[in-house]
Amino acid sequence: MIILGLDPGLGTMGYGVVEKDARGNCAAVDFGVVKTPKDENLAVRLCILEEGVNAIFDKFHPDETALEELFFSKNITTGIAVAHARGVILMTCAKRCGRLFEYTPNQIKQALTGYGKADKGQMQRVVAAHLRLNAIPRPDDAADALGVALCHAFTSRFGTLFGI
């Protein structure tokens, strides 16, 4: 099974593609980011994200997609921009795949480390270890997206609990 993990963002959207075999072992297929220029208007940036998600689907044909749920605590203006981006990403994934799942940051941390308040560094080291990578995936958004994909790989046996 090919799982696409996405870490939504307006300026930078991370993606991680993981292959899960019949025994439950996971391997990284690819990871990276889709960036949008800060000097462009919102509509153009959203179009760039849609094109980026479509290109990932065209290249990897994932069976299931997992996204990190939106979380922000201090800057509502940034949260609104990310919510716009997330909406476009969700819509594009729903059109392309249909098997779409969402996880909170704490659910992802719990699934990967056993501790829902793990820090970013710990999460990155765990992602690299689970995927048997020689180094922590960079940039951070790509590592986060791989974490989302792994979370789904580890919890997908629970079926529709996290589906949209």
Side-chain angles (χ1 to χ4, degrees), residues 14-15 31-32 123-124 127 136-148:
Y15 72 89
F31 56 88
M123 288 295 294
Q124 292 172 342
V127 165
I136 291 172
R138 296 284 182 224
D140 291 352
D141 304 278
D144 293 347
L146 284 170
V148 176

Side-chain angles (χ1 to χ4, degrees), residues 52-150:
V53 172
N54 277 319
I56 294 165
F57 271 93
D58 289 342
K59 185 172 182 179
F60 299 106
H61 307 284
D63 300 299
E64 297 182 347
T65 306
L67 278 90
E68 184 171 342
E69 286 188 2
L70 181 60
F71 173 78
F72 61 94
S73 60
K74 293 182 182 167
N75 189 342
I76 190 134
T77 304
T78 302
I80 291 170
V82 174
H84 284 300
R86 194 169 180 284
V88 167
I89 294 164
L90 278 169
M91 178 199 66
T92 306
C93 290
K95 286 181 175 182
R96 293 297 304 263
C97 181
R99 303 231 353 114
L100 189 55
F101 301 83
E102 294 184 278
Y103 300 93
T104 67
N106 285 351
Q107 288 171 327
I108 297 164
K109 292 173 183 181
Q110 182 71 38
L112 269 62
T113 69
Y115 179 59
K117 295 183 190 268
D119 66 31
K120 192 171 242 343
Q122 183 180 7
M123 288 295 294
Q124 292 172 342
R125 289 188 299 277
V126 168
V127 165
H130 277 302
L131 294 172
R132 295 172 295 288
L133 300 173
N134 293 329
I136 291 172
R138 296 284 182 224
D140 291 352
D141 304 278
D144 293 347
L146 284 170
V148 176
L150 280 173

Side-chain angles (χ1 to χ4, degrees), residues 25-43:
N25 298 314
C26 294
V29 175
D30 193 23
F31 56 88
V33 295
V34 174
K35 290 185 169 263
T36 66
K38 292 180 181 169
D39 58 340
E40 277 294 351
N41 67 50
L42 178 63

